[in-house]
Amino acid sequence: MTETVATALDFLGIDRELSEEERLIRDTTRRFVEQRVLPEIAVWFERGEFPREVAKELGALGLLGMHLEGYGCAGTNAVSYGLASLELEAGDSGFRSFVSVQGSLAMFPIWKYGSDEQKREWLPRMAAGDAVGCFGLTEPDFGSNPAGMRTSARRDGSDWVLNGAKMWITNGGIADVAVVWARTDQGVRGFLVPRDTPGFATRNIDRKLSLRASVTSELVLDDCRLPGDAALPGTSGMRGPLSCLNEARFGIVWGAMGAARACFASALEYAGTRVQFGRPIAAFQLTQQKLVDMLVELSKGTLLALHLGRAKDAGTLTSQQVSLGKLSNVREALEIARSARTILGANGVTLEYPVIRHANNLESVLTYEGTSEIHTLVLGQAITGIAAFE
Ligand SMILES: Cc1cc2nc3c(=O)[nH]c(=O)nc-3n(C[C@H](O)[C@H](O)[C@H](O)COP(=O)(O)OP(=O)(O)OC[C@H]3O[C@@H](n4cnc5c(N)ncnc54)[C@H](O)[C@@H]3O)c2cc1C
């Protein structure tokens, strides 16, 4: 990387706002991505596979459930978790998704709402990457409106019996335990479903052109019988799953800026070396305009992520503020990826460069964890007092 590019990547000197420990976690994650993810990612993306064995390496680095305390988790602050998410997504959104789902969507509900026994059984193994978790909320007919879910859990003696289907579940096909949200006569509750439970099956969704280095699956629950203590005792109602999504979305606010940074760096380097009409394309005003627009949005988005991270560490962050961060940073990251793609010309559509992969991945990131439309309406409600989405 040239000095000009390195300066552009932290144009505002945001690095100086980080503590030594935060920088250490950031640098360690960045090194892992450079050494372990970048050399292989095009192949994994093309083959449509997530290398399951990397889970243990992520665990050894302390990145799984890193913002949780105890049970083998690293117990870092929120900004460190955000910085790690950014670096992972600079590699590929699939890796950040794996870590988000494991830490915020599978481990967090166990940590926050689980019994001591459930925590002891699952959290240490999940923190180490020995066990993988997934989060089953979305259904074939209920995405933006998960409260309408059909999956049900009914009592049969002391057991629970679950029926229904969950769709688009990250890590589903490789999960050792699924956190499944189901309708009960006490409202929506979370259940821990180990992979080998009779009546539980997964089917991978293979033909996707986005987040290819990530496993996405359908979960099928067909008279799936669980012991009475499989339910998470600490939550009932939609508050439970929504609180988990809020945790994971916080990681996306940062992660999206990682994908954006990778695209910006690629476009800036390319523009400096690609010669047309006898000059590097970086010398043309239209190219500079694109690069500067990227610089401005990348800098603003990274500052926004840091601001929300400091608020989370101070305990003042609201879910609506997270919605603002997710909406803005994913939208701008996608814009940066598409614009970077144009600078790379035909090379931009190949896997030799990271931009089309990031652009395709960001299409999923724009949709999952609340679509951009839903976050717009959440913010609309926050400032007008009127809910426009129901
Ligand atoms: C790769 C990938 C991984 C995923 N991983 C998981 C996971 O691990 N666990 C999980 O539970 N889910 C997961 N999801 C599902 C994701 O959360 C849903 O796709 C998302 O919530 C949107 O639901 P939907 O796709 O059914 O779209 P729909 O809800 O059908 O929406 C379709 C369109 O209509 C718009 N729309 C809907 N309602 C309104 C409204 N009231 N006002 C305005 N516009 C509206 C939406 O914004 C969208 O543009 C994943 C999805 C993808 C693509």
Side-chain angles (χ1 to χ4, degrees):
M1 188 191 299
T2 65
E3 207 179 312
T4 328
V5 174
T7 308
L9 294 187
D10 187 18
F11 195 76
L12 296 180
I14 295 171
D15 198 55
R16 289 196 293 275
E17 303 298 317
L18 305 177
S19 71
E20 208 171 306
E21 192 186 340
E22 288 163 351
R23 262 185 252 137
L24 185 67
I25 291 170
R26 190 264 322 266
D27 292 345
T28 307
T29 316
R30 187 178 290 179
R31 227 177 358 262
F32 170 79
V33 168
E34 282 168 1
Q35 291 171 0
R36 194 67 179 93
V37 180
L38 293 181
E40 304 266 8
I41 187 61
V43 173
W44 290 327
F45 187 93
E46 199 164 24
R47 286 198 199 133
E49 65 183 36
F50 174 80
R52 168 69 176 78
E53 66 279 7
V54 173
K56 278 180 194 273
E57 297 169 44
L58 292 164
L61 285 175
L63 296 177
L64 302 178
M66 65 188 282
H67 59 310
L68 307 178
E69 293 276 352
Y71 303 96
C73 305
T76 70
N77 68 358
V79 168
S80 298
Y81 171 51
L83 288 163
S85 301
L86 187 153
E87 295 303 330
L88 288 165
E89 197 146 358
D92 191 83
S93 303
F95 278 75
R96 200 269 308 136
S97 296
F98 177 84
V99 169
S100 288
V101 168
Q102 178 84 347
S104 291
L105 294 181
M107 293 173 72
F108 175 78
I110 299 172
W111 179 84
K112 177 103 178 151
Y113 305 119
S115 64
D116 279 347
E117 204 180 4
Q118 288 169 333
K119 291 179 200 186
R120 276 197 303 271
E121 180 178 1
W122 289 109
L123 293 179
R125 287 159 62 200
M126 293 172 86
D130 290 333
V132 170
C134 70
F135 175 88
L137 179 65
T138 304
E139 300 190 353
D141 294 332
F142 295 93
S144 297
N145 178 25
M149 71 175 67
R150 286 203 194 98
T151 298
S152 66
R154 67 175 163 81
R155 281 284 194 187
D156 184 27
S158 61
D159 290 349
W160 289 100
V161 179
L162 271 63
N163 277 289
K166 297 289 175 181
M167 196 64 181
W168 301 111
I169 308 306
T170 303
N171 296 350
I174 54 168
D176 300 288
V177 62
V179 178
V180 172
W181 299 93
R183 181 180 290 291
T184 74
D185 54 14
Q186 305 139 9
V188 169
R189 295 196 62 183
F191 294 86
L192 301 187
V193 185
R195 161 160 298 280
D196 55 5
T197 309
F200 176 73
T202 64
R203 264 194 298 264
N204 288 349
I205 301 166
D206 291 323
R207 302 185 75 190
K208 59 184 169 46
L209 297 177
S210 174
L211 274 187
R212 289 186 54 74
S214 170
V215 176
T216 315
S217 321
E218 181 182 2
L219 312 183
V220 182
L221 300 133
D222 183 11
D223 279 334
C224 175
R225 183 173 288 273
L226 294 166
D229 62 6
L232 295 172
T235 182
S236 68
M238 286 303 289
R239 200 178 55 84
L242 295 183
S243 67
C244 303
L245 289 169
N246 204 45
E247 289 293 306
R249 260 174 219 142
F250 170 77
I252 295 178
V253 174
W254 289 83
M257 287 299 104
R261 189 189 71 196
C263 293
F264 175 55
S266 180
L268 191 54
E269 284 196 24
Y270 190 85
T273 53
R274 172 73 176 168
V275 174
Q276 288 293 291
F277 301 98
R279 308 171 72 194
I281 58 171
F284 301 121
Q285 292 181 0
L286 291 178
T287 309
Q288 290 195 5
Q289 171 85 69
K290 289 178 190 173
L291 291 169
V292 169
D293 284 348
M294 290 182 203
L295 170 71
V296 169
E297 293 309 326
L298 176 64
S299 304
K300 279 160 51 182
T302 311
L303 273 181
L304 173 58
L306 182 60
H307 174 73
L308 296 183
R310 294 284 180 236
K312 188 164 167 57
D313 279 326
T316 59
L317 186 66
T318 67
S319 63
Q320 290 89 348
Q321 290 168 338
V322 177
S323 283
L324 187 149
K326 202 254 177 186
L327 172 67
S328 179
N329 280 10
V330 179
R331 183 166 69 190
E332 297 310 328
L334 191 51
E335 207 45 55
I336 288 170
R338 287 173 178 158
S339 185
R341 217 291 301 149
T342 68
I343 291 178
L344 271 76
N347 278 320
V349 306
T350 71
L351 279 172
E352 301 302 317
Y353 294 86
V355 292
I356 192 83
R357 178 168 52 75
H358 282 300
N360 279 10
N361 285 340
L362 287 166
E363 293 291 345
S364 286
V365 181
L366 192 72
T367 286
Y368 70 23
E369 311 263 348
T371 65
S372 49
E373 292 81 6
I374 294 296
H375 286 300
T376 301
L377 298 181
V378 164
L379 292 170
Q381 181 183 16
I383 58 172
T384 67
I386 306 166
F389 47 87
E390 45 190 17

